[in-house]
CSV table of all heavy atoms in Angstrom, one decimal:
chain,number,residue,atom,x,y,z
R,610,GLU,N,68.4,116.5,186.8
R,610,GLU,CA,67.2,116.9,187.5
R,610,GLU,C,67.4,118.0,188.5
R,610,GLU,O,66.6,118.9,188.6
R,610,GLU,CB,66.5,115.7,188.1
R,610,GLU,CG,65.9,114.7,187.1
R,610,GLU,CD,65.3,113.5,187.8
R,610,GLU,OE1,65.4,113.4,189.0
R,610,GLU,OE2,64.7,112.6,187.1
R,611,ALA,N,68.6,117.9,189.1
R,611,ALA,CA,68.9,119.0,190.1
R,611,ALA,C,69.1,120.3,189.4
R,611,ALA,O,68.6,121.4,189.9
R,611,ALA,CB,70.2,118.6,190.8
R,612,VAL,N,69.7,120.3,188.2
R,612,VAL,CA,69.9,121.5,187.4
R,612,VAL,C,68.5,122.1,187.0
R,612,VAL,O,68.2,123.3,187.1
R,612,VAL,CB,70.7,121.3,186.2
R,612,VAL,CG1,70.7,122.5,185.3
R,612,VAL,CG2,72.2,120.9,186.6
R,613,GLU,N,67.6,121.2,186.5
R,613,GLU,CA,66.3,121.6,186.0
R,613,GLU,C,65.5,122.1,187.2
R,613,GLU,O,64.7,123.1,187.1
R,613,GLU,CB,65.6,120.5,185.3
R,613,GLU,CG,66.3,119.9,184.1
R,613,GLU,CD,66.5,121.0,183.0
R,613,GLU,OE1,65.6,121.8,182.9
R,613,GLU,OE2,67.5,120.9,182.4
R,614,THR,N,65.6,121.5,188.4
R,614,THR,CA,64.9,122.0,189.5
R,614,THR,C,65.3,123.3,190.0
R,614,THR,O,64.5,124.2,190.3
R,614,THR,CB,65.1,121.0,190.7
R,614,THR,OG1,64.6,119.7,190.3
R,614,THR,CG2,64.3,121.4,191.9
R,615,ARG,N,66.7,123.6,189.9
R,615,ARG,CA,67.2,124.9,190.3
R,615,ARG,C,66.7,125.9,189.4
R,615,ARG,O,66.5,127.1,189.8
R,615,ARG,CB,68.7,124.8,190.3
R,615,ARG,CG,69.4,126.1,190.7
R,615,ARG,CD,70.9,126.0,190.9
R,615,ARG,NE,71.4,127.3,191.3
R,615,ARG,CZ,72.0,128.1,190.4
R,615,ARG,NH1,72.0,127.7,189.1
R,615,ARG,NH2,72.5,129.3,190.7
R,616,SER,N,66.5,125.6,188.1
R,616,SER,CA,66.1,126.6,187.2
R,616,SER,C,64.5,126.6,187.1
R,616,SER,O,64.0,127.1,186.1
R,616,SER,CB,66.7,126.3,185.8
R,616,SER,OG,66.3,125.1,185.3
R,617,LYS,N,63.9,126.0,188.1
R,617,LYS,CA,62.4,125.9,188.2
R,617,LYS,C,61.8,125.3,186.9
R,617,LYS,O,60.8,125.8,186.4
R,617,LYS,CB,61.9,127.4,188.4
R,617,LYS,CG,62.3,127.9,189.8
R,617,LYS,CD,61.7,129.3,190.0
R,617,LYS,CE,61.8,129.7,191.5
R,617,LYS,NZ,63.1,129.8,192.0
R,618,GLU,N,62.4,124.3,186.4
R,618,GLU,CA,61.9,123.6,185.2
R,618,GLU,C,61.6,122.2,185.7
R,618,GLU,O,62.2,121.7,186.6
R,618,GLU,CB,62.8,123.6,184.0
R,618,GLU,CG,63.0,125.1,183.5
R,618,GLU,CD,64.2,125.2,182.5
R,618,GLU,OE1,64.8,124.2,182.3
R,618,GLU,OE2,64.4,126.3,182.0
R,619,THR,N,60.8,121.5,185.0
R,619,THR,CA,60.4,120.1,185.3
R,619,THR,C,61.6,119.1,185.2
R,619,THR,O,62.3,119.2,184.2
R,619,THR,CB,59.2,119.6,184.5
R,619,THR,OG1,59.0,118.2,184.7
R,619,THR,CG2,59.5,119.8,183.0
R,620,GLY,N,61.7,118.2,186.1
R,620,GLY,CA,62.7,117.2,186.0
R,620,GLY,C,62.5,116.2,184.9
R,620,GLY,O,63.4,115.6,184.4
R,621,ASN,N,61.2,116.1,184.5
R,621,ASN,CA,60.9,115.2,183.4
R,621,ASN,C,61.4,115.7,182.0
R,621,ASN,O,61.4,114.9,181.1
R,621,ASN,CB,59.4,114.9,183.3
R,621,ASN,CG,58.9,113.8,184.2
R,621,ASN,OD1,59.8,113.1,184.8
R,621,ASN,ND2,57.7,113.7,184.4
R,622,HIS,N,61.8,116.9,182.0
R,622,HIS,CA,62.4,117.5,180.7
R,622,HIS,C,63.6,116.7,180.3
R,622,HIS,O,63.7,116.3,179.1
R,622,HIS,CB,62.7,118.9,180.9
R,622,HIS,CG,63.5,119.5,179.8
R,622,HIS,ND1,63.1,119.7,178.5
R,622,HIS,CD2,64.8,119.9,179.8
R,622,HIS,CE1,64.0,120.2,177.7
R,622,HIS,NE2,65.1,120.4,178.5
R,623,VAL,N,64.5,116.3,181.3
R,623,VAL,CA,65.7,115.6,180.9
R,623,VAL,C,65.4,114.2,180.5
R,623,VAL,O,66.1,113.7,179.6
R,623,VAL,CB,66.7,115.6,182.1
R,623,VAL,CG1,67.1,117.0,182.5
R,623,VAL,CG2,66.2,114.9,183.3
R,624,LYS,N,64.4,113.6,181.0
R,624,LYS,CA,64.0,112.2,180.6
R,624,LYS,C,63.4,112.3,179.2
R,624,LYS,O,63.8,111.4,178.3
R,624,LYS,CB,63.0,111.6,181.5
R,624,LYS,CG,63.5,111.4,182.9
R,624,LYS,CD,62.4,110.8,183.8
R,624,LYS,CE,63.0,110.6,185.2
R,624,LYS,NZ,62.0,110.1,186.2
R,625,ARG,N,62.6,113.3,178.9
R,625,ARG,CA,62.1,113.4,177.5
R,625,ARG,C,63.2,113.7,176.5
R,625,ARG,O,63.2,113.0,175.4
R,625,ARG,CB,61.0,114.5,177.5
R,625,ARG,CG,59.8,114.1,178.3
R,625,ARG,CD,58.6,115.1,177.9
R,625,ARG,NE,58.9,116.5,178.3
R,625,ARG,CZ,58.6,117.0,179.5
R,625,ARG,NH1,57.9,116.3,180.4
R,625,ARG,NH2,58.8,118.3,179.8
R,626,VAL,N,64.1,114.6,176.8
R,626,VAL,CA,65.2,114.9,175.9
R,626,VAL,C,66.0,113.6,175.7
R,626,VAL,O,66.5,113.3,174.6
R,626,VAL,CB,66.1,116.0,176.5
R,626,VAL,CG1,67.3,116.2,175.7
R,626,VAL,CG2,65.3,117.3,176.5
R,627,ALA,N,66.3,112.8,176.7
R,627,ALA,CA,67.1,111.6,176.6
R,627,ALA,C,66.4,110.6,175.7
R,627,ALA,O,67.1,110.1,174.8
R,627,ALA,CB,67.2,111.0,178.0
R,628,GLU,N,65.1,110.4,175.8
R,628,GLU,CA,64.5,109.4,175.0
R,628,GLU,C,64.3,109.9,173.5
R,628,GLU,O,64.5,109.1,172.6
R,628,GLU,CB,63.1,109.0,175.5
R,628,GLU,CG,63.1,108.4,176.9
R,628,GLU,CD,63.9,107.1,176.9
R,628,GLU,OE1,63.9,106.4,175.9
R,628,GLU,OE2,64.5,106.8,178.0
R,629,ILE,N,64.0,111.1,173.3
R,629,ILE,CA,63.9,111.7,172.0
R,629,ILE,C,65.3,111.7,171.3
R,629,ILE,O,65.4,111.3,170.1
R,629,ILE,CB,63.4,113.1,172.0
R,629,ILE,CG1,61.9,113.1,172.5
R,629,ILE,CG2,63.4,113.8,170.6
R,629,ILE,CD1,61.3,114.5,172.8
R,630,SER,N,66.3,112.0,172.1
R,630,SER,CA,67.7,111.9,171.5
R,630,SER,C,68.1,110.5,171.0
R,630,SER,O,68.6,110.4,169.9
R,630,SER,CB,68.7,112.4,172.6
R,630,SER,OG,68.5,113.7,172.9
R,631,LYS,N,67.7,109.5,171.8
R,631,LYS,CA,68.0,108.2,171.4
R,631,LYS,C,67.3,107.8,170.1
R,631,LYS,O,67.8,107.2,169.2
R,631,LYS,CB,67.7,107.2,172.5
R,631,LYS,CG,68.1,105.7,172.1
R,631,LYS,CD,67.9,104.7,173.2
R,631,LYS,CE,68.4,103.3,172.7
R,631,LYS,NZ,68.2,102.3,173.8
R,632,LEU,N,66.0,108.2,170.1
R,632,LEU,CA,65.2,107.9,168.9
R,632,LEU,C,65.8,108.5,167.6
R,632,LEU,O,66.0,107.9,166.6
R,632,LEU,CB,63.8,108.4,169.1
R,632,LEU,CG,62.9,108.4,167.8
R,632,LEU,CD1,62.5,106.9,167.5
R,632,LEU,CD2,61.6,109.1,168.1
R,633,LEU,N,66.2,109.8,167.7
R,633,LEU,CA,66.8,110.5,166.6
R,633,LEU,C,68.1,109.9,166.2
R,633,LEU,O,68.5,109.7,165.0
R,633,LEU,CB,67.0,112.0,166.9
R,633,LEU,CG,65.7,112.8,167.1
R,633,LEU,CD1,66.1,114.2,167.6
R,633,LEU,CD2,64.8,112.8,165.9
R,634,ALA,N,68.9,109.5,167.2
R,634,ALA,CA,70.2,108.9,167.0
R,634,ALA,C,70.1,107.6,166.2
R,634,ALA,O,70.9,107.3,165.2
R,634,ALA,CB,70.9,108.6,168.3
R,635,LEU,N,69.2,106.7,166.6
R,635,LEU,CA,69.0,105.5,165.9
R,635,LEU,C,68.5,105.7,164.4
R,635,LEU,O,68.9,105.0,163.5
R,635,LEU,CB,68.0,104.6,166.6
R,635,LEU,CG,68.5,104.0,168.0
R,635,LEU,CD1,67.3,103.3,168.7
R,635,LEU,CD2,69.6,103.0,167.8
R,636,LYS,N,67.6,106.7,164.3
R,636,LYS,CA,67.0,106.9,163.0
R,636,LYS,C,68.1,107.5,162.0
R,636,LYS,O,68.0,107.3,160.8
R,636,LYS,CB,65.8,107.9,163.1
R,636,LYS,CG,64.6,107.3,163.8
R,636,LYS,CD,64.0,106.1,163.1
R,636,LYS,CE,62.8,105.6,163.8
R,636,LYS,NZ,62.2,104.4,163.1
R,637,ILE,N,69.1,108.3,162.6
R,637,ILE,CA,70.1,108.9,161.7
R,637,ILE,C,71.2,107.9,161.4
R,637,ILE,O,72.1,108.2,160.6
R,637,ILE,CB,70.6,110.2,162.3
R,637,ILE,CG1,71.2,111.1,161.1
R,637,ILE,CG2,71.7,109.9,163.3
R,637,ILE,CD1,71.5,112.5,161.6
R,638,GLY,N,71.2,106.7,162.1
R,638,GLY,CA,72.2,105.7,161.7
R,638,GLY,C,73.2,105.4,162.8
R,638,GLY,O,74.1,104.6,162.5
R,639,LEU,N,73.2,106.0,164.0
R,639,LEU,CA,74.1,105.6,165.0
R,639,LEU,C,73.7,104.2,165.5
R,639,LEU,O,72.6,103.8,165.5
R,639,LEU,CB,74.1,106.6,166.2
R,639,LEU,CG,74.4,108.0,165.9
R,639,LEU,CD1,74.5,108.8,167.2
R,639,LEU,CD2,75.7,108.1,165.1
R,640,ASP,N,74.8,103.4,165.9
R,640,ASP,CA,74.5,102.1,166.4
R,640,ASP,C,73.8,102.1,167.8
R,640,ASP,O,73.8,103.2,168.4
R,640,ASP,CB,75.7,101.2,166.4
R,640,ASP,CG,76.8,101.7,167.3
R,640,ASP,OD1,76.5,102.2,168.4
R,640,ASP,OD2,78.0,101.5,166.9
R,641,ASN,N,73.3,101.0,168.2
R,641,ASN,CA,72.5,101.0,169.5
R,641,ASN,C,73.4,101.4,170.7
R,641,ASN,O,72.9,102.1,171.6
R,641,ASN,CB,71.9,99.6,169.7
R,641,ASN,CG,70.9,99.6,170.8
R,641,ASN,OD1,69.8,100.2,170.7
R,641,ASN,ND2,71.2,99.0,171.9
R,642,ASP,N,74.6,101.0,170.7
R,642,ASP,CA,75.5,101.3,171.8
R,642,ASP,C,75.7,102.8,171.9
R,642,ASP,O,75.6,103.4,173.0
R,642,ASP,CB,76.8,100.6,171.6
R,642,ASP,CG,77.8,100.9,172.7
R,642,ASP,OD1,77.4,100.6,173.9
R,642,ASP,OD2,78.9,101.3,172.5
R,643,GLU,N,76.0,103.5,170.7
R,643,GLU,CA,76.3,104.9,170.8
R,643,GLU,C,75.0,105.7,171.1
R,643,GLU,O,75.0,106.7,171.8
R,643,GLU,CB,76.8,105.3,169.4
R,643,GLU,CG,77.5,106.7,169.5
R,643,GLU,CD,78.3,107.0,168.3
R,643,GLU,OE1,78.3,106.3,167.3
R,643,GLU,OE2,79.0,108.0,168.3
R,644,ALA,N,73.8,105.2,170.5
R,644,ALA,CA,72.6,105.8,170.8
R,644,ALA,C,72.2,105.8,172.3
R,644,ALA,O,71.7,106.7,172.9
R,644,ALA,CB,71.5,105.2,170.0
R,645,GLU,N,72.6,104.7,172.9
R,645,GLU,CA,72.4,104.5,174.4
R,645,GLU,C,73.3,105.4,175.2
R,645,GLU,O,72.8,106.0,176.2
R,645,GLU,CB,72.6,103.1,174.8
R,645,GLU,CG,72.4,102.7,176.3
R,645,GLU,CD,70.9,102.9,176.7
R,645,GLU,OE1,70.0,103.1,175.8
R,645,GLU,OE2,70.7,102.9,177.9
R,646,ILE,N,74.5,105.6,174.7
R,646,ILE,CA,75.4,106.6,175.4
R,646,ILE,C,74.8,108.0,175.3
R,646,ILE,O,74.8,108.7,176.3
R,646,ILE,CB,76.8,106.5,174.8
R,646,ILE,CG1,77.5,105.2,175.1
R,646,ILE,CG2,77.7,107.7,175.2
R,646,ILE,CD1,77.9,105.1,176.6
R,647,LEU,N,74.3,108.3,174.1
R,647,LEU,CA,73.7,109.6,174.0
R,647,LEU,C,72.5,109.8,174.9
R,647,LEU,O,72.3,110.8,175.5
R,647,LEU,CB,73.3,109.8,172.5
R,647,LEU,CG,72.6,111.1,172.1
R,647,LEU,CD1,73.5,112.3,172.5
R,647,LEU,CD2,72.3,111.2,170.6
R,648,ARG,N,71.7,108.7,175.0
R,648,ARG,CA,70.5,108.8,175.9
R,648,ARG,C,70.9,109.0,177.3
R,648,ARG,O,70.3,109.8,178.0
R,648,ARG,CB,69.7,107.5,175.8
R,648,ARG,CG,68.4,107.5,176.6
R,648,ARG,CD,67.7,106.2,176.5
R,648,ARG,NE,68.3,105.2,177.4
R,648,ARG,CZ,68.1,105.0,178.7
R,648,ARG,NH1,67.2,105.8,179.3
R,648,ARG,NH2,68.7,104.1,179.4
R,649,LEU,N,72.0,108.3,177.7
R,649,LEU,CA,72.4,108.5,179.1
R,649,LEU,C,73.1,109.8,179.4
R,649,LEU,O,73.0,110.3,180.5
R,649,LEU,CB,73.4,107.3,179.5
R,649,LEU,CG,72.8,105.9,179.4
R,649,LEU,CD1,73.9,104.9,179.6
R,649,LEU,CD2,71.7,105.7,180.4
R,650,ALA,N,73.7,110.4,178.4
R,650,ALA,CA,74.5,111.6,178.6
R,650,ALA,C,73.7,112.9,178.4
R,650,ALA,O,74.0,113.9,179.0
R,650,ALA,CB,75.7,111.6,177.6
R,651,SER,N,72.6,112.8,177.6
R,651,SER,CA,71.9,114.0,177.3
R,651,SER,C,71.2,114.7,178.5
R,651,SER,O,71.0,116.0,178.4
R,651,SER,CB,70.8,113.7,176.2
R,651,SER,OG,69.8,112.8,176.8
R,652,PRO,N,70.9,114.1,179.6
R,652,PRO,CA,70.4,114.8,180.7
R,652,PRO,C,71.3,115.9,181.2
R,652,PRO,O,70.9,116.8,182.0
R,652,PRO,CB,70.1,113.7,181.8
R,652,PRO,CG,69.8,112.5,181.0
R,652,PRO,CD,70.8,112.6,179.8
R,653,MET,N,72.6,115.8,180.9
R,653,MET,CA,73.6,116.8,181.3
R,653,MET,C,73.8,118.0,180.4
R,653,MET,O,74.7,118.7,180.5
R,653,MET,CB,74.9,116.1,181.6
R,653,MET,CG,74.9,115.1,182.7
R,653,MET,SD,76.5,114.3,183.0
R,653,MET,CE,76.6,113.2,181.6
C-alpha cells in the first residue's frame, strides 16, 4: 500500500490483485497452500 500510495494509486489495488491472483491460482490447479502464498505475496 505504501508503494501504491507513493505512486498516487489506490491502496485497494493490491488487495484486489491479491484476491484475483488466488482465484486464478486455484482454478489453474495450484493447491490451497500455494494459492494462499501467492495471495499474500502478490501485493509486493
Side-chain angles (χ1 to χ4, degrees):
E610 289 175 357
V612 172
E613 300 301 326
T614 301
R615 181 169 177 266
S616 60
K617 293 184 169 57
E618 295 169 359
T619 171
N621 277 350
H622 169 67
V623 297
K624 293 179 180 177
R625 293 192 295 267
V626 171
E628 297 300 329
I629 294 171
S630 294
K631 182 174 182 179
L632 172 67
L633 297 175
L635 291 172
K636 295 295 183 180
I637 204 169
L639 300 188
D640 62 38
N641 191 69
D642 180 57
E643 194 166 12
E645 180 65 11
I646 289 294
L647 180 56
R648 183 183 77 85
L649 296 174
S651 63
M653 294 181 287

